[in-house]
Amino acid sequence: MSFDILVKGGILPDGRQADIGIRDGRIAAVEPGIGGEAGRTIDASGDLVSPPFVDPHFHMDATLSYGQPRINASGTLLEGIALWGELKPSLTQDEVKERALAYCDWAAAMGLLAIRSHVDVCDDRLLAVEALLDVKREVAPWLDLQLVAFPQDGFYRDPTAKQNLLRALDMGVDVVGGIPHFERTMEDGRRSVTELCEIAAERGLMVDMHCDETDDPVSRHVEQLAFETQRLGMQGRVAGSHLTSMHSMDNYYVSKLLPLVAEAQLSAIPNPLINIVLQGRHDTYPKRRGLTRVPEMLAAGIRVGFGQDCVLDPWYSLGTGDMLDVAFMGLHVAQMTSPADMRRCFDMVTTESAAIMGLADYGLEVGKQASLVVLDAGDPVEAIRLRADRLCVISNGTVIAEREPGRSKLTLKGRPAYADPRFRLPSKPDA
Ligand code: FE2
């Protein structure tokens, strides 16, 4: 057999050791000890070989705009929205595109090869929509960019949001978004969920709504989203992003809500870095974490994918495009510390998020698109612990990024010359 690329000796996320043969942009073989010729052989001995990272919730129109025109002084969601509103009139298509493409370069280096980005449609010029549609076309050979029409200022609250959202969908935006908790009344929020789901159903599109991104324990838009998903027969095609109010809801109500969410096959996309930073800002002490009920949703059979939401923008002053940072934070805040739970956190930034985005061609199986990441770690938990270096990133059968493993040179008398952060436990507890 001959391959374009042969990745030798890697360890798959499920613990199997296997070589991966790549031909014509596709995975041609996954098994131990593959022989034959290859245009290039990559030695991944003892390294984790994973399908690419997937970010199911991002804002690429705002990324890398930190500090423009000023910094979010209160650190709240609402000041972030106001700040973005101040920046919007001065945006140009070229500038949005330039920032987005710069971020996509970072994503390539991080092995982040699929991103669902919301794009604000509350600007009559729709220049961010045009810019991100351009970016989507440009990066398509190596990065799967899915766009969500997002009425940031409210589907009803903003006077032209509805017509702009429909225009954006006509232009080719993939998914219908919403922000019911930001409408003027709970009733307007409820109606917006209904109308937006109807628009998506009519056009055969998926839905991904910012939903109940508040600390309000009586916010009820997730319930409405689950109801509309059922009513319109959209099971499996709808996601609720954030769902932070669920953190603060009455436990009895949640015991009724979770089975409804599961029944509607509504996916959940918490954003741990942003939720822990933005929520609980009106609390003194004890201060709520705000992250939605991740372990409880998983136990109820609800699909959960962790998103990143923001990198260097009006809402978040940090970030690198590293989905392992997201998994690391999610693991801590949700207290998912058992070996099995930690493994699940890795799945939530890879396979689970790919399923939420509907990426049918994703995964390390024969016939799928040949996209993968070689990580400087032995298994998914170690990858999260180390936020491991991406030694090699392959997209659609082409190597797009490479990196030497990071090591610190030590100058301590009588100690080794290099510190190897890849300290492995001699035996690992069973997952
Ligand atoms: Fe968001």
Side-chain angles (χ1 to χ4, degrees), residues 57 59 210 242 309:
H57 188 113
H59 294 263
H210 286 64
H242 295 296
D309 206 3

Side-chain angles (χ1 to χ4, degrees), residues 280-291:
R281 287 275 177 162
H282 298 265
D283 293 356
T284 53
Y285 288 93
K287 201 183 268 287
R288 286 169 289 177
R289 299 171 183 215
L291 187 73

